[in-house]
Amino acid sequence: MGMKEMNDGGAMKRVILSCDYLISDMEDGLHKMDKKGKDQILQSFEQMMDRYEQLHIVAPTLGSHRDKGNIKARLTRVKRELQDAQTAVEFDQYEKAEEMLKSHLLPALKRFREGLWPR
């Protein structure tokens, strides 16, 4: 039985929506990095962290006890990498932050999202 069969639809919809918003924010952040406006980029990362916190609150309500542990572990890695990317921007390492978003964060979050419920 997959996670979607074990949960009420409302909780799943909240998690999917939170995940979609965070993915959208990350894609927007990548777009802003092209312009190299440090304040705008940092503001974008603040919004990503807010979205992450929303996801972190709703996602562990899904699934079995084991699923919850896996979800928390995956989200903790996302948070750590998001913080690392934000720090890279603070030190003007835009390429490093962009690479982290493109190669690590977005793909991981999209895999997480697809595992919840296919689009």
Side-chain angles (χ1 to χ4, degrees):
M1 186 184 305
M3 261 198 275
K4 61 183 169 232
E5 290 91 17
M6 295 186 282
N7 301 287
D8 73 273
M12 181 61 74
K13 284 177 187 164
R14 285 191 303 275
V15 172
I16 289 171
L17 198 58
S18 294
C19 203
D20 286 346
Y21 282 142
L22 183 52
I23 288 169
S24 176
D25 288 347
M26 286 182 180
E27 288 170 344
D28 186 53
L30 275 173
H31 177 71
K32 285 181 179 162
M33 270 192 229
D34 290 341
K35 295 175 177 44
K36 301 275 193 275
K38 187 174 183 175
D39 290 340
Q40 267 195 317
I41 296 168
L42 287 173
Q43 217 170 18
S44 184
F45 272 97
E46 288 301 320
Q47 186 171 339
M48 286 181 227
M49 288 305 288
D50 289 345
R51 296 278 194 202
Y52 166 82
E53 292 301 332
Q54 292 170 9
L55 182 60
H56 186 75
I57 290 166
V58 294
T61 64
L62 300 176
S64 68
H65 186 68
R66 187 169 148 216
D67 290 332
K68 289 175 187 180
N70 288 337
I71 288 169
K72 283 184 178 183
R74 290 175 80 176
L75 291 179
T76 298
R77 282 193 298 273
V78 167
K79 182 177 185 177
R80 196 168 31 244
E81 288 189 8
L82 196 51
Q83 289 169 328
D84 288 349
Q86 185 173 4
T87 300
V89 171
E90 289 167 0
F91 287 104
D92 299 320
Q93 298 171 339
Y94 299 104
E95 287 178 13
K96 180 180 178 183
E98 189 174 357
E99 179 65 22
M100 291 175 81
L101 278 173
K102 265 189 202 171
S103 300
H104 300 283
L105 283 160
L106 270 168
L109 206 55
K110 286 179 179 178
R111 280 191 307 272
F112 176 75
R113 163 71 173 77
E114 287 162 10
L116 292 172
W117 199 281
R119 284 185 186 240

